[in-house]
Amino acid sequence: MKIILLGAPGAGKGTQAAYITKALNIPAISTGDIIRNALKSGSELGKKAKSYMNEGKLVPDEIVIDIIKERLKEDDCKNGFILDGFPRTIAQAEALDSMGVEIDKVVDLEVDEDLIIRRLTGRRVCKDCGSSFHMSMNTPKNEGICDNCGGTLIQRKDDQLSTIMERLSVYKEQTEPLKGYYEQKGKLAIVYGTNDIEQTGKDMLAAMKD
Ligand code: AMP
């Protein structure tokens, strides 16, 4: 199955992608994670993307389109994949179409904006393995320490309030129109992401089979 996860930043796409990966045994591909890793490694891609990402803006289409083109060529994508955070603009969706990628379903994860803001401002991520925690909704066993690898938990630069507001406005302007784009193609399913992780995951799997 080839799936796109749509939804505002903080809607829980990454968490759900991890859930669906296990259930369907297909890889989750997050352009955000790929760019963050490039940034950490100091690669050319990381250097180009840094300022956009830190300001909550979208990285230019041609850069992310190239990333996806390369990633989808890898062996593990043969039986399908979940795209988390791509496409984010109509131009990116059109590029995916012109690569000949046949998407089965686009699942839009809807969450109220005030919950999104609470989720993102409280989010802390492990600086080593990228695992995600929350200061009140999903606390680590030891404050500031990753349960998975013992690394230090930090706040992503783009999870600071002013950047969150910018990311939400970029989402509304540039990414939300994708709902109409995929609805017209008969591929859109909407799931409300306010339940717990397990229930939302089940709702998403059900929506994919419709
Ligand atoms: P995410 O982890 O998906 O919230 O992505 C973090 C940041 O990476 C975004 O705010 C953008 O700066 C950049 N990014 C990730 N995916 C894309 C994309 N498909 N198009 C443009 N920028 C992206």
Side-chain angles (χ1 to χ4, degrees):
M1 255 196 146
K2 294 176 182 150
I3 296 172
I4 290 173
L5 292 190
L6 268 186
K13 296 189 299 296
T15 308
Q16 288 308 324
Y19 183 90
I20 297 162
T21 287
K22 275 194 201 140
L24 300 182
N25 202 21
I26 48 176
I29 299 170
S30 155
T31 39
D33 281 349
I34 295 173
I35 298 168
R36 269 185 292 280
N37 285 337
L39 224 130
K40 250 204 262 177
S41 72
S43 70
E44 214 37 54
L45 164 65
K47 280 180 204 148
K48 279 189 204 154
K50 188 174 181 181
S51 61
Y52 298 102
M53 197 173 204
N54 286 345
E55 285 169 26
K57 300 208 167 15
L58 293 185
V59 172
D61 286 333
E62 57 277 16
I63 297 181
V64 273
I65 289 167
D66 277 352
I67 292 175
I68 283 293
K69 246 187 212 157
E70 288 309 306
R71 181 63 186 87
L72 295 186
K73 282 183 196 156
E74 286 179 36
D75 252 13
D76 62 341
C77 294
K78 283 208 173 101
N79 297 323
F81 46 78
I82 307 154
L83 294 181
D84 159 15
F86 184 95
R88 261 172 150 108
T89 63
I90 298 281
Q92 292 177 19
E94 288 171 348
L96 200 57
D97 292 343
S98 55
M99 284 176 222
V101 176
E102 279 284 337
I103 295 296
D104 295 296
K105 205 85 188 179
V106 177
V107 185
D108 170 44
L109 195 54
E110 289 281 331
V111 176
D112 286 343
E113 194 166 300
D114 54 344
L115 180 56
I116 284 183
I117 292 171
R118 270 197 291 139
R119 279 184 180 172
L120 290 181
T121 49
R123 176 159 73 178
R124 297 294 180 270
V125 294
C126 174
K127 81 177 178 30
D128 296 330
C129 75
S131 294
S132 189
F133 298 86
H134 192 278
M135 282 163 70
S136 58
M137 299 177 201
N138 173 25
T139 50
K141 288 191 191 95
N142 299 304
E143 202 185 319
I145 307 289
C146 175
D147 287 356
N148 287 336
C149 75
T152 307
L153 300 183
I154 54 164
Q155 183 177 44
R156 272 169 51 173
K157 272 213 179 88
D158 59 348
D159 278 346
Q160 286 160 15
L161 188 59
S162 58
T163 320
I164 291 170
M165 299 318 285
E166 174 65 18
R167 288 164 69 200
L168 286 172
S169 114
V170 165
Y171 173 76
K172 278 185 204 146
E173 259 173 47
Q174 302 195 56
T175 308
E176 248 185 349
L178 288 175
K179 288 191 212 168
Y181 183 86
Y182 287 114
E183 191 169 27
Q184 270 184 355
K185 294 178 185 279
K187 300 210 164 154
L188 186 74
I190 296 178
V191 168
Y192 292 90
T194 33
N195 283 315
D196 61 38
I197 293 171
E198 182 93 18
Q199 186 56 51
T200 305
K202 285 183 183 157
D203 293 346
M204 296 194 67
L205 288 173
M208 285 169 203
K209 286 177 189 144
D210 277 350

